[in-house]
Amino acid sequence: MDNSILIFSAPLRKRMSTPYIFIPMWLAYLLADITANFAIGLISISQWSGRVKSDTFANPDLLVFWASFLLVHLGGPDTITALGLDDNELWLWHFLGLGFQCWAVGYSFFLSFSNRNLWLPTVLIFIAGLIKYTERTRALYLASSRRFRNSLLTNPDPGPNYANLMVEYTYMLEAKLPAKIEMIPKPSRVNDTSNEANWDKLSDFKVVQRAYRFFETFKGLIADLVFSFRERNLSQEFFLKRSARDAFLVVEVELNFIYEILYTKMAAVQANLGYLLRFFSFSLTLAASVVFYMLEKSKFETTDIVITYILLLGAIALDVIAFVMVLFSDWTSVALTKSEPPSLIFRFLRTILNINRKRWPKNSKKPWCFSFGMIMHIVRRIWSESLHVLLDILLSAPGTEPGISFTGGGLLELQKKKSFVN
């Protein structure tokens, strides 16, 4: 139930600045781990003490089977892994929790293994839950401040070796070989806005592509990295030659990319290994459903059977929803255009996913009212268009004072000004 709330309410966090959205999401986020940990501990204690009775509790095999689903529950939805930046720093705590919960479920399975009725679907769901919980822990690790900063650092570039160049040049002159040193000046990056009116309006997909390029270039601002004038001039040249609408749409999508690598599973999912593990986990859940359907269930209570089917169908439904969200995300659209010329499969996926689809609804001159059109407007827009929501979400680390500055005619630079307490 908690995951169902989070998978739909978490994206609204950046689209609507209202406590009616944040408070239920906050409660669901906190209760998700608490209830799952409590249930796993209760099942383990029941199995160890031997107090499981058919008239008051479910079948022992079913209890262990349900405990495996709690690992899937602890994996959480793709739409949220952390409420604040500090939650990402607790990745090691989640890693230790992963080991403890796996031990608790494995211990319960060991105690009930003598019955051997549901061991195969239990193992399948256990592996699927292990993959999901590991995926969540890895997403937190990748978004932690130290790991995120280290991932942006590259090997230092020493530049040309002028000493070796002059030695080779001298040898070639002594050998009377043709040699020439040509100085190539750097291209001028002076902004020229004289032909600004000739720039075409960006399509929605071009906005996403431009935003992803700026995201790849300037995401180091979140980690307090310093950039050269070259990057600044490039951003200035782009934003000064664009309309206000295109400029702010690019910044909007760029902020969305930053949000998703810090607060969702996108950093762990958007990779070949992530896609493979996601497909493998879904296959295991589907296989467990088929195995349970084919088993003899005459000794199980009807209520217990119905609960088990609800858990299986719920896990499959959440996987399908997460798959659709990833498939139609901007990350997938950008990934499908990275290879040129595209392969036959990529061309097929581009057509099926309609990557050139309209992403922003046109502004209506009619006043808003509570209607289906208003709901679709909220669902389709990427950001809440509220500045304080941006500050609360992206710069929520304690001990920091958020500050923003607009440079280059619209490029949003995010900085964190450290506040020292004596």
Side-chain angles (χ1 to χ4, degrees):
M1 181 63 182
D2 294 332
N3 284 347
S4 302
I5 296 175
L6 288 174
I7 199 171
F8 294 109
S9 65
L12 297 178
R13 176 190 181 189
K14 56 186 177 181
R15 296 169 183 164
M16 298 181 63
S17 56
T18 171
Y20 301 107
I21 296 297
F22 179 77
I23 292 178
M25 183 193 65
W26 174 68
L27 292 176
Y29 179 83
L30 295 179
L31 291 176
D33 291 350
I34 296 175
T35 54
N37 293 333
F38 176 77
I40 291 178
L42 185 63
I43 291 174
S44 301
I45 293 175
S46 300
Q47 294 282 45
W48 174 75
S49 61
R51 290 179 296 178
V52 178
K53 299 180 181 180
S54 59
D55 55 342
T56 57
F57 292 90
N59 186 279
D61 291 346
L62 279 178
L63 283 179
V64 179
F65 191 33
W66 294 350
S68 300
F69 279 101
L70 294 175
L71 282 180
V72 178
H73 181 79
L74 286 171
D78 290 358
T79 53
I80 184 171
T81 55
L83 277 177
L85 294 179
D86 278 352
D87 293 334
N88 294 323
E89 308 303 323
L90 299 177
W91 68 268
L92 186 57
W93 181 81
H94 284 274
F95 180 74
L96 295 176
L98 169 63
F100 175 77
Q101 301 301 341
C102 289
W103 174 83
V105 175
Y107 177 72
S108 301
F109 178 72
F110 173 76
L111 293 178
S112 65
F113 186 73
S114 57
N115 296 324
R116 298 183 181 182
N117 292 321
L118 293 174
W119 72 269
L120 181 56
T122 302
V123 170
L124 294 177
I125 294 296
F126 176 82
I127 297 175
L130 179 62
I131 293 174
K132 284 187 171 295
Y133 203 171
T134 304
E135 186 180 63
R136 179 188 180 185
T137 306
R138 183 169 179 264
L140 293 171
Y141 167 69
L142 293 176
S144 60
S145 59
R146 180 177 298 181
R147 175 60 178 80
F148 183 73
R149 182 183 178 89
N150 292 338
S151 66
L152 301 176
L153 299 178
T154 58
N155 295 327
D157 184 11
N161 193 331
Y162 293 103
N164 290 340
L165 175 64
M166 295 308 299
V167 170
E168 294 178 2
Y169 179 69
T170 303
Y171 285 160
M172 295 181 70
L173 290 180
E174 292 177 353
K176 297 182 179 181
L177 296 175
K180 179 182 178 182
I181 297 179
E182 182 178 358
M183 304 296 293
I184 303 177
K186 292 184 178 180
S188 176
R189 299 193 180 277
V190 178
N191 295 326
D192 182 12
T193 59
S194 60
N195 60 345
E196 181 179 350
N198 296 330
W199 282 48
D200 296 332
K201 179 181 177 181
L202 291 177
S203 63
D204 287 358
F205 182 64
K206 287 294 183 181
V207 168
V208 174
Q209 288 182 311
R210 288 288 185 175
Y212 182 79
R213 293 175 188 174
F214 282 120
F215 158 74
E216 287 290 331
T217 303
F218 293 101
K219 61 184 178 182
L221 291 171
I222 301 298
D224 295 332
L225 297 184
V226 179
F227 293 89
S228 66
F229 286 100
R230 178 178 180 273
E231 286 83 4
R232 189 198 66 176
N233 292 338
L234 284 174
S235 66
Q236 285 181 339
E237 182 180 4
F238 173 79
F239 283 105
L240 287 176
K241 293 184 178 181
R242 290 296 175 187
S243 64
R245 178 186 181 276
D246 288 345
F248 279 102
L249 285 181
V250 170
V251 172
E252 178 180 344
V253 180
E254 184 182 358
L255 288 174
N256 187 63
F257 282 127
I258 295 175
Y259 171 85
E260 290 186 342
I261 64 170
L262 294 178
Y263 295 98
T264 71
K265 289 184 179 180
M266 280 299 174
V269 174
Q270 290 292 332
N272 293 332
L273 179 61
Y275 291 132
L276 181 62
L277 291 178
R278 180 58 57 87
F279 175 77
F280 185 57
S281 174
F282 176 74
S283 300
L284 291 175
T285 305
L286 199 61
S289 303
V290 174
V291 172
F292 181 78
Y293 176 77
M294 297 177 63
L295 286 177
E296 175 61 35
K297 298 179 284 293
S298 58
K299 67 174 184 177
F300 298 142
E301 297 290 337
T302 304
T303 304
D304 296 338
I305 297 175
V306 171
I307 293 174
T308 305
Y309 275 124
I310 291 176
L311 292 174
L312 288 169
L313 294 178
I316 294 175
L318 292 178
D319 279 348
V320 171
I321 294 173
F323 174 74
V324 172
M325 286 184 172
V326 171
L327 204 60
F328 285 91
S329 66
D330 292 335
W331 296 86
T332 303
S333 299
V334 172
L336 292 176
T337 58
K338 284 184 177 180
S339 60
E340 294 293 343
S343 62
L344 182 60
I345 297 179
F346 276 24
R347 288 198 298 268
F348 174 75
L349 290 176
R350 286 184 186 183
T351 305
I352 295 298
L353 299 179
N354 190 19
I355 62 175
N356 294 314
R357 63 187 180 274
K358 297 291 292 184
R359 288 171 167 81
W360 287 273
K362 294 183 179 180
N363 294 329
S364 177
K365 297 182 179 179
K366 298 180 180 180
W368 278 22
C369 60
F370 189 78
S371 62
F372 178 77
M374 185 195 72
I375 296 175
M376 290 306 299
H377 179 85
I378 295 174
V379 171
R380 292 177 63 184
R381 69 181 181 180
I382 297 177
W383 207 258
S384 66
E385 302 171 5
S386 176
L387 184 59
H388 75 85
V389 174
L390 161 66
L391 297 179
D392 291 342
I393 293 179
L394 293 182
L395 302 175
S396 59
T400 61
E401 179 185 353
I404 59 173
S405 61
F406 288 89
T407 64
L411 173 64
L412 179 64
E413 295 184 2
L414 302 175
Q415 300 172 344
K416 289 189 292 184
K417 301 177 181 178
K418 302 295 182 180
S419 59
F420 296 94
V421 179
N422 295 330

